[in-house]
């Protein structure tokens, strides 16, 4: 069996070294020494001034909307994981979907401007598969209309645009460190901002809004993460170059083996590196996708229709609208298995099956 993804695990002894230290200290959570160390090491690695380690990528998004005091309408993408949209609804705002760019699959900045009303407070966009949005165009629109920008950068760990971390763009960026993501702390998330006032506020929100003994300064939540999760984050961070290199090599094998497939890949941002978080392909037709997927399923090779269906036309708690590019792409896109322990032989097998079905 080949799954679409499989978590990376560090050598057990290396994780256990951290666990032994936790036992000695008996400090299990609440911004302990390992959580602080992880924040420090991630800041160094990502060359960032500020960053908070939080419960998960979803809570990070919710904290971002709360900290920026967003109200009314938030312009967002229908082509993302459900947490991007559900966060907006959870925070009592209204998502306004605009269509994506057919090449990059990120939100189309040209369509953002048409969707702005006097109720719009922000733009919440996803760097889809780690591929950066047109951050410059979004920035210009946001400044012109006095809107906040949040980037759901859940997929974008290790991506740089114009030589700096993708997490530096927007008012706030969030990342997920969930076990299925390329770099993980089992469950976990990051929240990043360049603004030190905002960072202070986010740190208070993370800890119930408690500002000192017997005092509260904010409406907060429990957004903390534990020492055990930080330990996994620290153990995994030592392998991050190996993870990137292996994924790059796997990506290259796929591209070589699948060069005759009637499918294309999303167009990557010209000034950004790829982090090889996913291997998405856009088939010529949904029919070809379904034929190939069902044969792969039979052979216990599990791919994922990611993202399908469009969030704009499938959520039971929202009015349904159909945005043509998202509807079309979401029906034709498939993510192939990609993870650290995947082998070249497995990719050859997957490619052989796919080409056989196509050429039938
Ligand atoms: C994984 C993911 C999230 C949610 O992150 P969790 O850590 O699982 O809460 C949000 N947005 C996108 C685009 C994701 O892929």
């Amino acid at each position: 069996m080949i799954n679409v993804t499989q978590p990376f695990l560090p050598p057990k002894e290396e994780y256990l070294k951290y666990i032994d230290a936790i036992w000695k200290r008996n400090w299990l959570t609440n911004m302990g020494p390992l959580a602080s160390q992880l924040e420090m090491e991630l800041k160094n690695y990502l060359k960032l001034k500020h960053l908070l380690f939080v419960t998960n990528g979803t809570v990070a998004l919710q904290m971002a909307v709360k900290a920026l005091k967003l109200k009314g309408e938030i312009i967002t993408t229908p082509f993302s994981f459900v947490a991007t949209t559900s966060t907006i609804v959870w925070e009592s705002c209204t998502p306004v979907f605009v269509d994506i760019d057919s090449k990059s699959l990120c939100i189309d900045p040209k369509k953002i401007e048409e969707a702005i009303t006097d109720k719009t407070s922000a733009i919440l966009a996803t760097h889809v598969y780690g591929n950066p949005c047109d951050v410059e165009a979004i920035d210009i629109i946001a400044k012109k209309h006095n809107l906040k920008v949040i980037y759901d950068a859940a997929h974008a760990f290790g991506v740089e645009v114009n030589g700096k971390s993708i997490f530096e763009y927007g008012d706030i960026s969030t990342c997920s460190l969930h076990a299925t993501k390329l770099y993980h702390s089992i469950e976990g998330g990051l929240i990043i901002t360049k603004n030190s006032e905002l960072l202070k506020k986010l740190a208070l929100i993370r800890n119930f809004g408690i500002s000192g003994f017997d005092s509260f300064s904010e409406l907060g939540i429990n957004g903390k993460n534990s020492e055990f999760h930080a330990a996994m984050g620290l153990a995994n961070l030592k392998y991050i170059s190996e993870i990137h290199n292996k994924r790059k090599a796997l990506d290259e094998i796929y591209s070589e083996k699948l060069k005759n497939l009637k499918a294309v890949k999303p167009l990557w941002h010209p000034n950004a590196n790829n982090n090889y978080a996913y291997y998405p392909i856009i088939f010529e037709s949904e029919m070809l996708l379904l034929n190939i997927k069902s044969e792969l399923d039979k052979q216990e090779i599990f791919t994922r229709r990611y993202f399908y269906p469009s969030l704009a036309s499938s959520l039971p708690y929202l009015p349904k609208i159909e945005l043509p590019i998202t509807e079309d792409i979401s029906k034709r896109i498939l993510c192939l298995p990609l993870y650290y322990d995947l082998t070249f032989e497995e990719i050859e097998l997957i490619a052989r099956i796919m080409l056989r079905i196509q050429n039938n």
Side-chain angles (χ1 to χ4, degrees):
M1 191 185 77
I2 303 174
N3 259 320
V4 68
T5 187
Q6 188 175 290
F8 175 84
L9 280 173
K12 202 172 172 185
E13 320 75 72
E14 294 179 21
Y15 183 63
L16 289 178
K17 267 209 326 248
Y18 290 108
I19 303 307
D20 285 340
I22 296 175
W23 245 257
K24 289 207 184 82
R25 282 190 293 270
N26 200 348
W27 185 349
L28 309 187
T29 186
N30 286 12
M31 285 82 72
L34 294 180
S36 305
Q37 188 185 338
L38 179 63
E39 288 183 343
M40 200 191 63
E41 290 194 15
L42 285 172
K43 278 187 260 188
N44 286 338
Y45 175 71
L46 299 164
K47 292 178 265 160
L48 293 170
K49 202 158 153 215
H50 303 305
L51 147 171
L52 296 174
F53 178 47
V54 299
T55 321
N56 56 53
T58 307
V59 164
L61 282 168
Q62 292 169 2
M63 288 170 59
V65 173
K66 195 70 93 190
L68 294 169
K69 294 202 168 76
L70 302 183
K71 297 263 159 355
E73 297 172 358
I74 299 179
I75 294 175
T76 192
T77 174
F79 193 70
S80 185
F81 182 60
V82 65
T84 316
T85 304
S86 65
T87 292
I88 298 173
V89 179
W90 197 262
E91 293 299 322
S92 306
C93 297
T94 306
V96 174
F97 292 110
V98 309
D99 214 348
I100 55 172
D101 176 83
S102 64
K103 299 282 191 297
S104 74
L105 313 189
C106 292
I107 197 165
D108 186 343
K110 291 192 287 296
K111 293 174 189 144
I112 292 178
E113 217 157 5
E114 296 160 18
I116 295 173
T117 71
D118 55 7
K119 297 200 193 76
T120 310
S121 62
I123 300 162
L124 171 47
T126 301
H127 301 305
V128 179
Y129 309 123
N131 185 18
C133 295
D134 187 344
V135 285
E136 281 98 1
I138 292 174
D139 190 47
I140 291 169
I141 296 166
K143 287 219 169 78
K144 181 169 158 201
H145 296 273
N146 196 22
L147 304 176
K148 300 290 184 193
V149 179
I150 301 172
Y151 285 114
D152 181 344
H155 299 170
F157 190 89
V159 173
E160 293 190 346
V161 191
N162 306 318
K164 62 177 184 181
S165 169
I166 184 69
F167 297 152
E168 290 200 38
Y169 292 86
D171 293 281
I172 297 179
S173 287
T174 62
C175 187
S176 167
L177 305 187
H178 184 258
T180 54
K181 306 300 206 265
L182 92 155
Y183 166 70
H184 76 91
S185 62
I186 312 174
E187 290 276 357
L190 299 175
I191 193 156
I192 302 101
T193 177
K194 288 193 298 248
N195 179 327
S196 8
E197 283 309 304
L198 197 52
L199 183 89
K200 266 188 225 149
K201 189 168 175 165
L202 286 162
L204 287 164
I205 290 176
R206 176 174 67 173
N207 192 34
F208 311 97
I210 296 173
S211 53
F213 289 106
D214 315 318
S215 66
F216 307 96
S217 67
E218 296 285 335
L219 173 64
I221 194 167
N222 184 356
K224 297 176 273 97
N225 209 330
S226 83
E227 291 292 279
F228 293 79
H229 293 86
M232 184 60 84
L234 286 164
N236 284 343
L237 192 57
K238 300 200 168 61
Y239 292 90
I240 192 68
S241 319
E242 271 150 282
I243 293 171
H244 279 305
N245 293 341
K246 179 70 187 286
R247 284 175 170 269
K248 180 169 193 280
L250 294 170
D251 185 284
E252 282 163 5
I253 304 275
Y254 262 131
S255 299
E256 163 62 25
K257 298 287 166 195
L258 292 175
K259 61 177 186 290
N260 293 325
L261 190 73
K262 291 176 186 146
V264 293
K265 292 210 280 180
L267 187 68
W268 204 263
H269 191 295
N271 302 326
N273 64 301
N274 193 328
N275 63 353
Y276 307 101
Y278 298 89
Y279 197 90
I281 45 173
I282 308 164
F283 286 95
E284 192 182 71
S285 68
E286 185 181 23
M287 177 81 103
L288 181 57
L289 179 150
L290 292 172
N291 287 342
I292 286 180
K293 185 174 187 304
S294 93
E295 182 59 27
L296 290 170
D297 283 347
K298 266 189 228 149
Q299 315 252 359
E300 300 202 306
I301 296 168
F302 300 112
T303 55
R304 195 163 160 213
R305 300 188 75 180
Y306 196 57
F307 303 105
Y308 170 86
S310 158
L311 295 171
S313 62
S314 62
L315 295 174
Y317 43 83
L318 288 176
K320 295 178 184 39
I321 57 160
E322 295 200 352
L323 294 163
I325 297 171
T326 303
E327 287 296 324
D328 172 43
I329 297 282
S330 61
K331 289 185 176 76
R332 293 190 290 122
I333 196 158
L334 190 68
C335 285
L336 302 183
L338 185 66
Y339 50 86
Y340 184 81
D341 290 315
L342 191 68
T343 65
F344 295 169
E345 292 72 26
E346 286 169 324
I347 292 184
E348 278 170 13
L349 171 69
I350 295 167
R352 232 180 4 255
I353 296 169
M354 292 176 73
L355 290 167
R356 176 162 57 76
I357 299 301
Q358 169 186 283
N359 299 332
N360 249 350

